[in-house]
Structures are given as structure tokens and as C-alpha cells.
Amino acid sequence: MLRRIYGLILTIVILAIAASGIAAFLIIETYHDQVNEEYLTNAAGVIEQRLIAATSYEQAAQSAIEIFSRGDETIRVTLVRPDGQVAYDSETDAATMENHLYRPEIQQALGNFETGISIRKSNTLGLNMAYLALYSPKLELVIRTSISNANQMQGYIRLLVTLAAVFSLALVALIILGYFSLRMITRPLVELKNAAIQVKQGDYKIRVGSLLAEKSELSDLSDAFNAMAGHLQATVSDLEDRNARLDVILNSLVVPLIVVARSGDVVFLNKTAQDLFDRHLDPEQAQFPLILITHHSGTETLVSDCLHATTAVSGEMTISTVRGSLIFNVTASPIHYSGTESAILTFLDVSQARQLQRLRSEFVANVTHELRTPLTSIRGFIETLRHGAIDKPDVARRFLDIIDVEAERLHQLISDILVLSEIEDLREDKEKTSFNLNALIDDVAVLLDETASTRNVSIVPEAGDEILMVSASPFRMKQVLINLIDNAIKYNREGGRVAIHAVRLAPNRVELRVSDNGPGIAPEHAERIFERFYRVDTSRSRELGGTGLGLSIVKHIAQLYGGSARVESKIGQGSTFIVDLMI
Ligand code: ADP
């Protein structure tokens, strides 16, 4: 910038100097011509007066030459008759001179009977001359005075040289002074420019002003610049704060969130989405299609549907994630910003809800089935009795016994379902009391002793008389023990043994073990026998009066006390049911 201003000023100054030189030259030349004209007019006037006083041509001319000659600038006098014939010339023999009628100054003088002026080269002397012709009507003669321009030219050259020298000196002074003063003026501008570049590069803390202490347009500019930089700094920091806040909010959302452009490319995905879909890509670096994240074309369809309908659309789909295949309710909502259309996708995990729904429907189907079986049987036997069997006392008694067993099974089934749903609804057991678990084990052993004896199975509580105080509901713990010991009796072999063992593992942790030496459970069943209505052998379970809910009740009671239930079993060697309880 400095160089350009400097160059511009120099050009203007040089042009001004050249223009003023030319103007001065022209003014001086005009002035000189005027002086010459006056000078030659006066000389011609003197000659006319002398000639009127009847002085000879020679004397009149010489007296004027004496008066008006300036140093070596001698006046030349020529007297011309109206027909152009030269009557006298102070420097050349008149007789030898050609006719002067058509000399411009003579023509002018004769034309207006006054004066004529011409500056041209003399045909006779071959010099640049200034001519003045004055027609004297009294003398009937044109008096022409002339003077050489040679000295004048020299004067001009001298003047030009002097002017050039003065102007050159002035120019040098101007170059030096101009350079330094321009530097002083432009330095703040350069400082401003550099500050502006730094602002462009993101340094909003920069301020200018050290060089602009005094009040001027530049200091106003620097004030405006500083105010602008301050405003920018405040705005940028405000924006950064907002961005950071928005980032924290979006990335703290537990809901996976993806923003997709109309083109189908992802423009943003929050941390939850990155982690869930295991795609740690930054869309700001390079955009990528949505399918790369979800691997489900349904999400792309949702985006295009919502942008087409300009309203939120939802759909349920199964998508693979780091947590396995999950069912999501995906919602795509259209958004508009900066003139672009995009869609926000949110993923609501409904896997658990769907699982619960499925389990509930399965449960209802199972319950219906389980209830229908004894009912159908009861109704069948009642029908048979009505159709005559009632008249055969033996048959009727047998049928009534069967009806009684089926009704008992129904009763058992309904009470198990009620117990299960009651425990499922409980968050914690409010009926806790402190009691001796080993005493309760003994009670249950006595209770089931008869059943065990009928199957030739012995029950062995291994803890003996040891006191094991626990804090739980004795009713629920009794239910656990009955279900486990009853199973161990039912599914035992002839002459089998049931061992019951309770031990405290930690101050509030008790492990209960019920072992048998029955046929055992295959591993594929071991995992599932705690599910509702799951039986290894359905007909045998029914035959033994089982409802398929016993172990499920055990598991739920264990969970109610912050524990768990599992089985360890070997085919042919027996099973051990282990219940871990925080009691
Ligand atoms: P059920 O009323 O049929 O006994 P449970 O929920 O108590 O229902 O048990 C589920 C299934 O687990 C039983 O049907 C049986 O097949 C199996 N089972 C339970 N306890 C034992 C055990 N001690 N030994 C072998 N199998 C067992």
C-alpha cells in the first residue's frame, strides 16, 4: 500500500512539476514576445519620428539602433516601400534584397495600415528573428524593426536548466520527505491491516492503538476496529459457550441421535449413537451415508419419508448394535436451518418393552393352556358321569377322585400364578422378620417327610442344630424350601436322598443348597427350568402334580432378596439347586 501511495504521489508531483515547467516556459515566452513587440514598436516609432524630421534613412536607423541595441542583441532596421521594394536595410545592401511585399509582417502592416508582427527565420540572415512592421502613412513607408531570437533561445535553455535543477532538488527532497511522512501515515494502517489478518485467523484478542495516540481519523478507525474486535470476541466466545453447552447436552443424551442431510449423508451423531453403533467417525471431517451406521435401509426410508411429508414419522426396526440386535422405535423429524433441510433421527430402545409384551402374551397363552387342560378333563369326566357312569358306583368313585385331583391341580395352578404375580409386583419385601433359617429347614423337612417316605426318599438337613439367623419373610423362605425340596423328592430316584444345606457367606449373604441324587438335568434344560411353565418332561410333571411354576417362584423370591437361583447338575448323578440371598 505504501509503495502504491508513494508511486501515485510521485507521479502526481512529477506531472505537476512538468506542467508548471511547461506553463512557466510558455508564460516567459509570451512575456518575452510582448517585451520584444514593445521594444521593436518603440524602435519603429523613434525611426518614424526621425524620418519625419527629415533625417536620412541611415541616420534614423543608426540612432534607433544605438538607443535600442541590448549588448550583442542588435536591432536590424529595414525600410520597405508599399510595393515591397526594400528602400534600406541596416545589415544588408537594400539593392541586393528581394521584394518584401509578401513578408507576413509587411502584409499585416499594409493590410491594416498599422503594425504587423511575425516571428520566423530570416530568409536573408538565416536566423530566428522577431519582426515588427509599422506602416507610416506620412512617409508612405513600412518601417520594419527586427531582433534576433538567438539570445532568447539561450536564455530559455538557461532557464530550463535552472528550472530542472531546482525541480530535481525539490523532487529528491520530496522523495525523502514523502517517503518518511508517508511511512508515518501508513504505519498505523499497516498495523490495522496486520491486526485484521490476525482477527481473520481467529485471534480476537488483538487490539490496535499504540501508534494512534493522538485524535485523528485513523484513531477513530482504530477505535472502531477495536470495538469491532471486542464485539467479535464477545460474540465468538458466546458462540463457543453455546456450542460447548449444546455439545455437552447432545452428547449427554442417553438417546442416540443422528442428523441426516437431504442427500442421505450424516452431518452429526451424538456420543451415545457413536458408542451404540460403534462408529466413531466425525462427519465434519468427511460425510458418510446413514446406512454405514444403522445397516438398515428402513432408517433411510424414514428420512426420505419425513422430508417428503415435512412431518415426523416413526417406525419400529431391529438394528444391530454393540449390545446385540435391539428393537428401536426410530423417529425422523424434519428440521430447517441455514436454508438446508435435514432430519433428526432418534432411537428409542423398545426391546425390553417388546420382550415383556412377548413374555406376557406367552404367559397368557400358557396360563390359558394350563387351565384348560384340567378343566377339559373335569368336564369330560362330568359328561361321562351324566351319561350313565354315575350309576356305576366304582367307576363313579374313580371319576370323582380324578375330578378331585384335577380340581386340586387347578387350585394349585391358580395359587402359584397369584404368588408369582404378587412377587413380580414387589420391589422389596416389607414383611421381613428375623428368624432361624435352620429351624425353618427342619420344619419343612418334617412337613414333606411323609411325601418323601411315600417315594422312599430321605430328607437330610445338613446344618443340624446350628442357629442361622436371617432377616426375611419366613413365609416366602418356606415357599422356596418347599418348592426346592418337593422337586428334589419328586424328581429323585427310588431310595434317593435330599440334602439341605444353608451357610452364611457374608454378614448379610446366605447360600441355600438343596441337592438330590436323582437323574439330573441336561445343560440345555438347566438354563431354562427357571422360566415359567418350562418343564423337561411335561407329562411326568403333570403326573406328579407339578404346575411348571415352582422354580420360577424360587427365582423371583431370590431376586426379591437381591439374590439369584441356579442349578448345578450332572446327568445320572443328581442336581444341586443353589439360591443366593441377601438376608
Ligand atoms: P414343576 O411343577 O413341573 O415341578 P418346576 O418349576 O418346579 O415345575 O420345575 C420345572 C422343571 O424342572 C420340572 O418340570 C422338572 O422337569 C425340572 N426339575 C425341577 N427340579 C428338578 C430336580 N431336582 N431334578 C430334576 N429335574 C428337576
Side-chain angles (χ1 to χ4, degrees), residues 246-254 268-272 274:
L246 211 64
D247 242 32
V248 170
I249 292 171
L250 288 175
N251 286 322
S252 312
L253 269 183
V254 285
F268 175 81
L269 73 163
N270 70 350
K271 178 130 186 5
T272 314
Q274 289 181 9

Side-chain angles (χ1 to χ4, degrees), residues 487-488 490-491 516 520-521 529 534-537 541 546-552 575 577:
N487 276 352
K490 277 194 302 189
Y491 303 107
D516 64 69
I521 305 159
I529 50 172
Y534 189 87
R535 297 151 168 129
V536 177
D537 182 342
S541 159
T547 59
L549 293 172
L551 288 179
S552 188
S575 317
F577 284 82

Side-chain angles (χ1 to χ4, degrees), residues 23-25 48 90 97 108 125 154 172 178 229 339 348 351 357 399 410 415 462 483 485 492 523:
F25 192 79
E48 188 186 21
S90 61
M97 288 170 71
Q108 269 183 37
L125 301 173
Q154 276 174 7
V172 169
L348 196 66
S351 313
Q357 231 168 31
F399 280 11
L410 262 180
S415 81
E462 287 187 347
N483 288 0
I485 298 168
N492 215 323

